[in-house]
Amino acid sequence: MDRLYSTVASVLSPASPYARDIGHLFWITFWISMVILLFVSAFVIFNLVRFRDRGEGGLPPQTHGNTVVEVTWTVVPLVILIVLFVLTVQTMAAVSPSTKTTANALNVDVVAHQWWWEFRYPDGDVVTANELHIPVGRTIHLTLTSADVIHDFWVPELGRKMDAVPGHPNTMIIQADRPGTYLGTCAEYCGTDHAWMRIRVVAQTPDAYQAWLTAQAQPHAQPANAKQAIGRGLFVGLTCSSCHTIKGSGATASKDVGPDLTHLADRDTLAAGVIANTPENLRQWLADPNSIKPGSYMPDLHLSSQQLDALVAYLEEQP
Ligand code: CUA
């Protein structure tokens, strides 16, 4: 069982208008800094050589006060800082929600948890976890909160960062230019599994997205065989259903402690991006969650081999 360590996502490969704005600001700042670095370095080296000690002894001529030099080294940095300040404020405005950017936006509520992400689609009666499906070319307006501590939502190729704070909704926008899977992560230390709080944004064509949303709104398939029926019985009868909801199973967790598992089989990963979603991996996750994600709040229920098989058959809709 391999953990999915690779998360190559960079602000330098923007895939949205907002990430491009941030990238532009980065490069402008970078090149201004490089010019300053080169100028200062060259000036220091020139003076080290030009005014080196040639064995004449004594101190060089001492000078005091030079209005031109003092005004120059005050005004030039001031101008540079003003330019960077104005560009930063402009970029912040461009990449944040406004009446212009959210006019035709799709709304999704994001709830951060230790250590996974919950995505709620208010327009579609759909709740999912760790994988945010979006249509390409449309601005997505996210409203972020947290169920416990402060987390931070960050998918560098699609937009800015934003804190998810308990009891204080923050909003942000993302967008994807083209279909694909964009990786992100929690960007604010939030406890043991902070590093295993991954985000996958799956950008789809509008038609594919709509089909996905419609499918997600459906209840979980009814058990198709005896094994799946046993699995559903275990899911509802054991403590699984006090933390996890599965639409159509009769299990509606009173509080969303753990991810909604209605369409778990459709997700690429388990445990917020730690392992690929395969029946074998799910079986091991259920058998010993801490061997896969140390510190996770998913308990070890000490399930028997038959119980594991039945639960996997039901959750993955396997024959
Ligand atoms: Cu959640 Cu770091």
Side-chain angles (χ1 to χ4, degrees):
M1 183 211 57
D2 297 321
R3 288 191 176 82
L4 303 169
Y5 283 110
S6 61
T7 45
V8 182
S10 169
V11 285
L12 302 182
S13 57
S16 91
Y18 312 125
R20 268 194 296 282
D21 286 343
I22 294 168
H24 281 150
L25 180 63
F26 169 80
W27 284 115
I28 290 168
T29 310
F30 176 82
W31 287 117
I32 289 176
S33 305
M34 286 308 287
V35 168
I36 295 169
L37 177 70
L38 284 175
F39 173 77
V40 171
S41 303
F43 197 61
V44 167
I45 291 167
F46 169 80
N47 284 294
L48 283 174
V49 175
R50 171 76 179 73
F51 299 106
R52 69 186 184 280
D53 185 356
R54 292 185 173 85
E56 293 137 352
L59 288 171
Q62 301 297 295
T63 60
H64 274 286
N66 184 320
T67 310
V68 174
V69 170
E70 284 169 13
V71 168
T72 305
W73 75 39
T74 305
V75 169
V76 171
L78 189 67
V79 170
I80 293 170
L81 285 179
I82 289 171
V83 167
L84 288 176
F85 176 76
V86 170
L87 289 173
T88 302
V89 170
Q90 279 178 348
T91 306
M92 286 170 70
V95 304
S96 298
S98 64
T99 46
K100 183 168 154 245
T101 51
T102 60
N104 187 33
L106 171 73
N107 292 300
V108 180
D109 295 335
V110 180
V111 186
H113 297 256
Q114 285 176 316
W115 287 273
W116 58 282
W117 299 92
E118 182 176 352
F119 301 117
R120 300 166 178 238
Y121 294 73
D123 305 336
D125 187 28
V126 166
V127 180
T128 183
N130 305 317
E131 289 176 23
L132 175 64
H133 285 243
I134 62 170
V136 293
R138 186 169 167 196
T139 295
I140 316 300
H141 186 224
L142 304 176
T143 303
L144 300 114
T145 55
S146 167
D148 34 55
V149 301
I150 299 176
H151 303 267
D152 191 293
F153 183 96
W154 191 35
V155 183
E157 288 159 309
L158 303 185
R160 60 169 295 178
K161 282 182 187 174
M162 183 54 76
D163 274 3
V165 182
H168 177 86
N170 280 336
T171 60
M172 68 178 289
I173 45 174
I174 59 170
Q175 185 171 321
D177 295 335
R178 48 188 182 274
T181 299
Y182 301 92
L183 302 175
T185 187
C186 180
E188 170 108 14
Y189 183 69
C190 55
T192 312
D193 281 317
H194 159 68
W196 282 121
M197 196 167 160
R198 303 286 170 83
I199 305 160
R200 296 171 88 80
V201 177
V202 181
Q204 300 172 290
T205 62
D207 287 350
Y209 165 76
Q210 201 53 49
W212 173 86
L213 191 69
T214 306
Q216 293 290 309
Q218 300 300 311
H220 192 84
Q222 292 301 308
N225 54 44
K227 201 175 179 186
Q228 289 184 0
I230 294 169
R232 183 170 80 170
L234 289 168
F235 184 86
V236 178
L238 297 172
T239 50
C240 314
S241 56
S242 34
C243 298
H244 298 282
T245 296
I246 291 187
K247 263 186 298 192
S249 72
T252 45
S254 55
K255 187 164 172 281
D256 286 307
V257 182
D260 184 304
L261 301 179
T262 306
H263 293 285
L264 178 69
D266 294 342
R267 295 178 200 158
D268 290 339
T269 69
L270 298 170
V274 182
I275 47 174
N277 182 12
T278 65
E280 299 72 40
N281 283 352
L282 178 62
R283 198 175 189 284
Q284 188 170 341
W285 169 247
L286 294 172
D288 187 3
N290 262 273
S291 71
I292 289 166
K293 190 169 178 174
S296 153
Y297 289 135
M298 170 80 176
D300 181 352
L301 295 180
H302 301 283
L303 302 161
S304 72
S305 188
Q306 290 90 334
Q307 287 177 320
L308 289 170
D309 289 341
L311 274 171
V312 170
Y314 177 58
L315 291 170
E316 300 276 19
E317 297 176 56
Q318 288 255 311

